[in-house]
Amino acid sequence: MAALVAFVLLLAVAAYACAGGTDYGAGFWDLTAGGAERGRRPRWLIDHAMAPVWEVNNVWLVFVLVLMWTGFPVLFQTVFTAMWLPLALAALGMVLRGAGFALRKPVRRLSRRRLYGAAFAISSLLTPFCLGVTVGAIASGRVVPGTEAVAHAWLSAASLAFGLLTVASTALLGAVFLTADAARFEAPDLVGYFRVRALCAFVAVALTAAGVLVVTRGDAPHVWHGLTHGAGLGLAVASAVSFLVTGLLVLRGRARWARSGAVAAVGAAVLAWGFAQRPYLIPTSLTVADAAGDSQTLTWLLVVSLVALLLVGPAVALLYWLDTHGELEPLADSDLRPLRPADGVPPDDD
C-alpha cells in the first residue's frame, strides 16, 4: 500500500515538473527577452500562451503536498524542517510570480508594469532553482530525520547541480511550447526567435545533465547505482532518447511534435530519479515503509486519489488539449460587441 502511494506521489511530481515547468520556462524567457521595446513581442506571446492554463498547473503541486503530509508525514516533516529556507524562497517565488503575472497586464504606468514583470520573471527563475536544490539534497541523502535547518543540508554540489538542471529543463519546455504557440498565433518571427532559444536550452540541459551525473556518482552513490541498473536505467535511457528526439524535431521545425518529446524527456527523468531511490524516500535513511502513515489513512488516500483522477483528470486533460489546439483564443473586441441586424441576427432586447 505504501509503495503504491509513493508511486502516485512520484507521478504527481512528474506531472508538476512537466506542466508547471513549462510555465516556469515561459517566465525564464520573459526575464531574458530584453527591454520594453525589444521584448514586447515575445512577452505578448508569453502572456497569450500562458493565460488559459497557468493557474491549473498548481493543482499538481497541491496534490503533491497533500500526498506528502498525509501519506508520508515523516518525509514531510524532515524535508520541510531541514530545508525550510529554499522551500520558503520557492513559496515566496510562487506568490510573487502569480501576483506579477496577474497585475502587470491591467496597469498602465510603465514603471509599475516593469516592477510586476520583474517580479514574475525573476520568480520564474528562483522557484524552480530552489525546488531543484531541494531534490538534490534529498537525492544526496544529506537530509535525514532529525536534521536541523542548516545550509549544509542543501548547499552541496549535488543540490546546486540539480537546481541548475531544473532551470535548464524548464527553459527547454518553455521554449519548445512557445515555438509551437508562435506558429499557432501566426507569428513567424517569433517561431524562429523561440526555436533558437529552444536549441540553446537543449545544449544547456545536456551540459547540466552531464554535471548532475558526475556529482551524483560521488555525492549520491545510491541514486547513481539506481540510475545505472534496473528500472532506473531504463527510464534514464528513455529520457535521453526522448531528449535527442526533441532536439531533432526542433531542428526540423516540428515544434508541435517536439512538445511531446520534451514532456516525455522531463517526465521520464523524474521517474528515473524516483525509481533510482528505491526503496528509500531519502537515501539511505528513510524507506517508504518507515515513512508511511497509518494503513487506513493510506487506503483512503488512494480512494481519494482515484476519485480526483476520475473527476479532475479528464477536465485538466481537456483544458490542455483545447489550449494546445488553439481552441482557447482570447476574445477580440469584435467578439464583445452586440450583434446588429445587418449581421443576420437581431440584437437582444435586453
Side-chain angles (χ1 to χ4, degrees):
M1 187 71 67
L4 185 56
V5 175
F7 180 65
V8 175
L9 174 61
L10 181 61
L11 291 178
V13 172
Y16 183 65
C18 296
T22 303
D23 276 356
Y24 289 129
F28 176 87
W29 297 118
D30 186 287
L31 177 64
T32 60
E37 184 58 31
R38 179 185 174 188
R40 181 179 62 85
R41 289 273 293 164
R43 291 190 178 102
W44 167 84
L45 177 63
I46 290 169
D47 284 346
H48 281 73
M50 284 183 56
V53 297
W54 73 281
E55 286 185 297
V56 75
N57 294 325
N58 290 323
V59 169
W60 304 112
L61 178 61
V62 173
F63 193 38
V64 168
L65 294 176
V66 171
L67 287 172
M68 281 186 66
W69 78 54
T70 307
F72 305 99
V74 178
L75 172 67
F76 185 86
Q77 179 185 11
T78 301
V79 171
F80 278 80
T81 298
M83 291 179 290
W84 72 269
L85 181 56
L87 289 173
L89 291 175
L92 177 64
M94 293 176 194
V95 174
L96 293 178
R97 183 175 181 273
F101 182 74
L103 296 176
R104 75 173 180 174
K105 290 184 287 185
V107 297
R108 295 187 177 182
R109 292 183 59 178
L110 182 60
S111 59
R112 291 187 179 181
R113 185 174 297 177
R114 285 176 172 173
L115 175 62
Y116 294 136
F120 164 72
I122 294 174
S123 299
S124 297
L125 174 65
L126 175 66
T127 299
F129 177 76
C130 290
L131 293 176
V133 164
T134 302
V135 171
I138 294 173
S140 64
R142 290 176 177 268
V143 179
V144 298
T147 300
E148 297 294 331
V150 294
H152 172 73
W154 52 273
L155 277 181
S156 65
S159 297
L160 297 178
F162 270 86
L164 293 175
L165 176 60
T166 302
V167 172
S169 299
T170 61
L172 176 62
L173 284 168
V176 169
F177 271 74
L178 287 170
T179 303
D181 288 329
R184 174 162 59 92
F185 283 98
E186 298 181 353
D189 57 320
L190 294 179
V191 172
Y193 177 92
F194 283 110
R195 182 166 171 260
V196 170
R197 280 148 183 79
L199 294 174
C200 292
F202 180 87
V203 175
V205 171
L207 294 176
T208 53
V212 165
L213 291 176
V214 170
V215 299
T216 298
R217 185 172 185 178
D219 211 16
H222 181 82
V223 174
W224 170 259
H225 181 270
L227 289 174
T228 54
H229 296 81
L233 175 60
L235 288 166
V237 171
S239 177
V241 171
S242 299
F243 176 69
L244 294 175
V245 170
T246 300
L248 182 61
L249 290 172
V250 171
L251 279 173
R252 293 189 172 184
R254 304 290 184 87
R256 294 188 63 178
W257 287 102
R259 293 181 303 192
S260 300
V263 169
V266 173
V270 174
L271 294 177
W273 159 62
F275 275 85
Q277 291 194 168
R278 290 185 304 171
Y280 297 99
L281 290 175
I282 301 179
T284 51
S285 60
L286 186 64
T287 64
V288 172
D290 292 338
D294 183 76
S295 59
Q296 291 186 350
T297 300
L298 295 177
T299 300
W300 280 107
L301 190 59
L302 286 175
V303 172
V304 171
S305 299
L306 180 60
V307 172
L309 177 63
L310 295 176
L311 294 180
V312 180
V316 173
L318 177 61
L319 177 63
Y320 286 150
W321 188 91
L322 291 173
D323 180 53
T324 55
H325 285 75
E327 301 294 335
L328 298 179
E329 304 291 343
L331 294 176
D333 291 339
S334 59
D335 297 320
L336 301 177
R337 297 193 190 108
L339 293 173
R340 299 170 300 174
D343 296 323
V345 179
D348 193 345
D349 292 339
D350 295 335

